[in-house]
Amino acid sequence: MSEINLNKAAIALDFGGTNIKIGLIRQGKVLNQTLLPAHSGAGIIPRLPDVQAAVMDLLEQEGLALGNCSGVGIGLPGLVDPQHLSLLSINEKYADAVGFAFGAWVEEAFGLPIVMENDARAALLGETVYGTAHGESNAVLMIFGTGIGTAALMNGKIIRGRHFQAGILGGHFVTDVNGSRCSCGGVGCLEAEASHWSLQGWLKNQQGYANSLLAIESNIGYRQVIDASQSGDMLALSAMQHLYKHWSSGIVNLVHAYDPDVVILSGGLMKAKDIVLPELVRRVHEQAWTPWGKVRFIVAENPDSSVLLGLSHLIEEGIDIDYV
Ligand SMILES: [Zn+2]
């Protein structure tokens, strides 16, 4: 790591299921960021020309050129092999990204070094290195996007595992053995029960849906349910109880698995943290077996940039960062 590199900006690309977030970051500060629709069902390759153009636009807005950049970081919601720069497996989204030569694309499009990581793992790095969880060494993260991403940090080391899947499959912890079939092939996964993507299907199967405020919404996600619950809508209120039950079970599982001091929460849902956090914390504290005390909760200050910050750190440090 040279001093020159620290003065250079990192280009971070966060390929989410709904949006692609693109940021320029220097020393933990987001210089500028933008958003593209992901259309992730149609694959990643058709989106790459737009991503490249958006990066060049951001650079121009900041008066920077590619020569002022240290590298490109790519975050994906799947199993990523950071050493071989490849996506090993992904669930439904970006199917064509598995095995895609990201290194060759970055070389051709930008002529810069590349790092890759699972998005939630990058978010955990971002929040513990630069964000509100700065300095924490034992942490788990849950990020509520289209799906539910998780990651774990133990004794200062990011947990990655032999097959790169340790810590990141918390969205597929089973929270109801009699639950719904999940898109991963499992049954009753946290994502199948209480994620942004599964919520609409769950609501439509409930009695009272036709009489709910939510029946007139064309696209139902967390925000619509929270808003309707605030208006006293009966179905939305019962949906919130359902969500709290599953989210808290998922977090308790993470606490039992990885023994953290803190639980870091990020993602779009945390824009409603004033509404959801108190009940979520209450349930986790009630259910978690932690005789040493109570896990603390930390919410990302800017949930839209957690992944981008972590990717920039990986570019600055290289992939030799301490993993287990
Ligand atoms: Zn699953």
Side-chain angles (χ1 to χ4, degrees):
M1 181 174 56
S2 70
E3 280 197 28
I4 296 164
N5 271 350
L6 282 179
N7 292 322
K8 289 189 170 184
I11 298 167
L13 311 175
D14 172 12
F15 288 91
T18 308
N19 293 303
I20 302 168
K21 300 187 184 95
I22 301 168
L24 294 179
I25 292 105
R26 185 190 282 140
Q27 289 176 274
K29 297 276 182 295
V30 179
L31 303 176
N32 203 340
Q33 76 181 80
T34 189
L35 198 72
L36 294 176
H39 308 308
S40 57
I44 204 168
I45 295 165
R47 303 302 289 132
L48 295 180
D50 284 350
V51 170
Q52 185 179 356
V55 169
M56 300 316 287
D57 271 355
L58 280 186
L59 286 171
E60 195 178 326
Q61 286 173 34
E62 294 306 305
L64 296 170
L66 286 171
N68 306 114
C69 297
S70 50
V72 177
I74 293 178
L76 285 159
L79 306 188
V80 172
D81 177 348
Q83 285 158 343
H84 297 99
L85 300 173
S86 74
L87 180 73
L88 301 173
S89 178
I90 194 161
N91 186 11
E92 291 206 319
K93 303 154 276 200
Y94 298 124
D96 62 349
V98 175
F100 178 71
F102 283 96
W105 173 67
V106 165
E107 175 60 34
E108 189 186 321
F110 305 109
L112 291 168
I114 171 182
V115 295
M116 286 179 67
E117 186 48 284
N118 166 267
D119 54 0
R121 228 179 251 140
L124 177 57
L125 262 180
E127 290 304 322
T128 50
V129 175
Y130 297 122
T132 42
H134 177 74
E136 298 290 347
S137 304
N138 291 281
V140 293
L141 170 132
M142 189 169 275
I143 184 164
F144 296 88
T146 311
I148 296 175
T150 67
L153 178 79
M154 292 177 76
N155 297 328
K157 295 185 178 183
I158 293 271
I159 305 300
R160 192 168 62 183
R162 171 161 151 67
H163 307 101
F164 310 103
Q165 64 184 73
I168 63 172
L169 293 185
H172 302 275
F173 282 171
V174 175
T175 56
D176 182 354
V177 291
N178 299 312
S180 309
R181 173 70 68 175
C182 183
S183 56
C184 75
V187 172
C189 300
L190 174 57
E191 276 204 13
E193 299 299 327
S195 69
H196 186 80
W197 67 256
S198 66
L199 191 50
Q200 187 153 345
W202 184 85
L203 286 160
K204 285 184 174 173
N205 281 331
Q206 302 306 305
Q207 279 191 343
Y209 175 74
N211 299 321
S212 165
L213 290 171
L214 295 166
I216 56 168
E217 299 273 355
S218 57
N219 218 339
I220 307 173
Y222 289 145
R223 196 182 60 206
Q224 289 75 19
V225 171
I226 291 168
D227 287 351
S229 74
Q230 296 290 98
S231 308
D233 183 77
M234 292 306 287
L235 177 61
L237 286 167
S238 117
M240 291 307 296
Q241 292 305 306
H242 169 83
L243 291 171
Y244 285 130
K245 184 170 74 179
H246 288 276
W247 293 336
S248 61
S249 297
I251 293 170
V252 168
N253 286 339
L254 283 172
V255 169
H256 289 175
Y258 300 110
D259 190 13
D261 291 319
V262 295
V263 175
I264 305 165
L265 301 175
S266 186
L269 175 66
M270 285 303 114
K271 290 173 185 165
K273 66 179 176 188
D274 292 344
I275 298 168
V276 302
L277 200 57
E279 179 63 7
L280 199 52
V281 172
R282 186 190 71 74
R283 287 179 182 239
V284 172
H285 284 167
E286 190 177 275
Q287 296 165 40
W289 187 4
T290 55
W292 51 268
K294 291 187 186 303
V295 287
R296 287 175 285 124
F297 279 76
I298 296 179
V299 175
E301 194 176 348
N302 182 356
D304 285 335
S305 61
S306 303
V307 178
L308 302 177
L309 291 174
L311 292 171
S312 78
H313 181 67
L314 282 172
I315 293 167
E316 285 161 10
E317 296 292 315
I319 61 160
D320 296 332
I321 203 161
D322 227 355
Y323 282 103
V324 169

